[in-house]
Amino acid sequence: MSEHVLIPQAALAAVGRPLPDGVTLRRLKADDLEAAQALSREFQWPHRLEDWQFSLAHGQGVAALRDGQLVGTALHWPWGKQHATVGHVMVSPRMQGQRIGQHLMHAVMAGIEDRTVLLHATAEGRGLYERMGFEIVGEVRQHQGLAAPAQLVALAPGERLRPLGRNDAKTLVALDARSAGMPREAMLHQLLAEGETVVLARGGEAVGFSIVRRFGRGHAIGPVVAPDLTSAQALIGHWCSRYAGKFLRIDVDAASGLPEWLEAQGLPRVDTVTTMVRNGPLERGPALGYWALVAQAMG
């Protein structure tokens, strides 16, 4: 289960330089999410209101307001006692250049300073995160488009894809925690309940899985947990064929070998973000079986 870590009230006071006139920080509330979604549209983010609700359900955030209007957000998600992710960091274009992003980041990091923290940075935010002690550890490629039936992937002898079973949840939660490098039980249970899951079985034992869920313009694939590249391709290809002709998105490690394969499946790369970690290292990624993110913000 993710640990509930409250952002200290003192962290919502101005950090460093005074906040710009009329700007205040407070905790992000459920009532703010319609405004947050509207603000995110200014950055061409595809998030629906339901996607913002999913994010806030498993973490908490800080809102920047000016004259009662939401002008910025930042969220964090504590996982277990040692890890966290940070995301949904944005400042209204009309308010940029006033260090509001810096204040938001200092506030959202309060209470998780000693944890290993993961985030995915745009080029615009990378400098701020580096000044706060985050180090570059890789890249994530965003692929999306209208899915086409995937090329057939031959699994190893004794392996097969099957639907989610009634007793699979505990095993899949453990597989995700080991491969993602952080325990995310509550989030995984919601994904298993609300999304669609396919399981990679070897001799009757679940050794991998992938989930597809409603997100943004269509559906998103993730997480994808698999013992090797071939089985990861099979788990992803299952959804490409299932959702042929529909909009799919997937976010994968740039060095995983998947970007080239996804291009061949008709899912072009549309963006790249930088993977950054503070208080690392963080043990996760394809080498440990983690092939696709749940979301760039949540990791």
Side-chain angles (χ1 to χ4, degrees):
M1 299 283 288
S2 59
E3 183 183 353
H4 191 57
V5 177
L6 289 175
I7 298 171
Q9 188 63 37
L12 302 182
V15 179
R17 286 178 33 158
L19 283 167
D21 289 344
V23 176
T24 58
L25 301 184
R26 64 160 168 78
R27 290 192 181 96
L28 187 71
K29 301 181 295 185
D31 290 347
D32 296 319
L33 295 186
E34 287 190 9
Q37 192 230 356
L39 180 57
S40 66
R41 285 181 178 175
E42 297 186 37
F43 297 92
Q44 286 75 55
W45 292 8
H47 297 63
R48 306 167 302 147
L49 177 60
E50 293 87 346
D51 301 323
W52 274 95
Q53 291 169 338
F54 177 80
S55 293
L56 189 58
H58 296 284
Q60 64 175 278
V62 180
L65 298 103
R66 185 172 188 270
D67 298 330
Q69 301 297 310
L70 186 79
V71 296
T73 64
L75 277 74
H76 77 218
W77 296 269
W79 307 118
K81 296 182 180 298
Q82 299 177 348
H83 300 91
T85 50
V86 167
H88 289 334
V89 182
M90 62 177 180
V91 176
S92 171
R94 73 179 188 277
M95 298 295 293
Q96 291 181 5
Q98 302 182 59
R99 298 195 178 183
I100 296 173
Q102 174 181 304
H103 293 299
L104 283 165
M105 276 298 297
H106 280 289
V108 85
M109 286 293 294
I112 61 170
E113 302 95 335
D114 295 333
R115 294 169 178 250
T116 297
V117 182
L118 168 75
L119 61 76
H120 292 98
T122 62
E124 294 78 12
R126 195 164 59 203
L128 168 60
Y129 305 140
E130 287 179 321
R131 292 191 296 274
M132 293 185 66
F134 285 86
E135 298 181 354
I136 296 172
V137 296
E139 286 185 347
V140 163
R141 303 253 173 106
Q142 177 184 333
H143 290 257
Q144 64 187 41
L146 296 180
Q151 302 166 6
L152 184 64
V153 176
L155 291 170
E159 291 184 348
R160 66 184 180 93
L161 300 184
R162 63 164 173 79
L164 177 71
R166 291 179 59 186
N167 299 317
D168 282 330
K170 183 176 180 180
T171 299
L172 302 192
V173 166
L175 286 171
D176 177 78
R178 183 169 67 247
S179 63
M182 51 186 74
R184 311 184 296 184
E185 183 176 354
M187 181 180 70
L188 258 291
H189 278 294
Q190 183 174 352
L191 290 173
L192 292 170
E194 298 180 359
E196 298 177 70
T197 304
V198 64
V199 175
L200 173 69
R202 180 186 296 157
E205 178 186 359
V207 296
F209 69 98
S210 63
I211 298 176
V212 68
R213 73 188 193 283
R214 280 284 292 116
F215 177 84
R217 296 170 57 186
H219 287 76
I221 302 171
V224 176
V225 175
D228 53 55
L229 176 60
T230 298
S231 54
Q233 291 171 341
L235 286 163
I236 296 165
H238 172 85
W239 299 122
C240 292
S241 297
R242 175 80 173 269
Y243 284 89
K246 298 182 179 180
F247 189 88
L248 279 181
R249 170 177 171 166
I250 185 169
D251 295 87
V252 301
D253 188 293
S256 65
L258 283 173
E260 299 79 7
W261 180 81
L262 289 167
E263 295 273 358
Q265 309 311 307
L267 292 178
R269 175 169 63 93
V270 299
D271 196 14
T272 299
V273 292
T274 302
T275 305
M276 305 185 76
V277 172
R278 177 169 136 159
N279 297 332
L282 175 64
E283 301 297 330
R284 65 149 38 190
L288 292 173
Y290 194 63
W291 297 88
L293 309 182
V294 172
Q296 286 184 17
M298 300 175 76

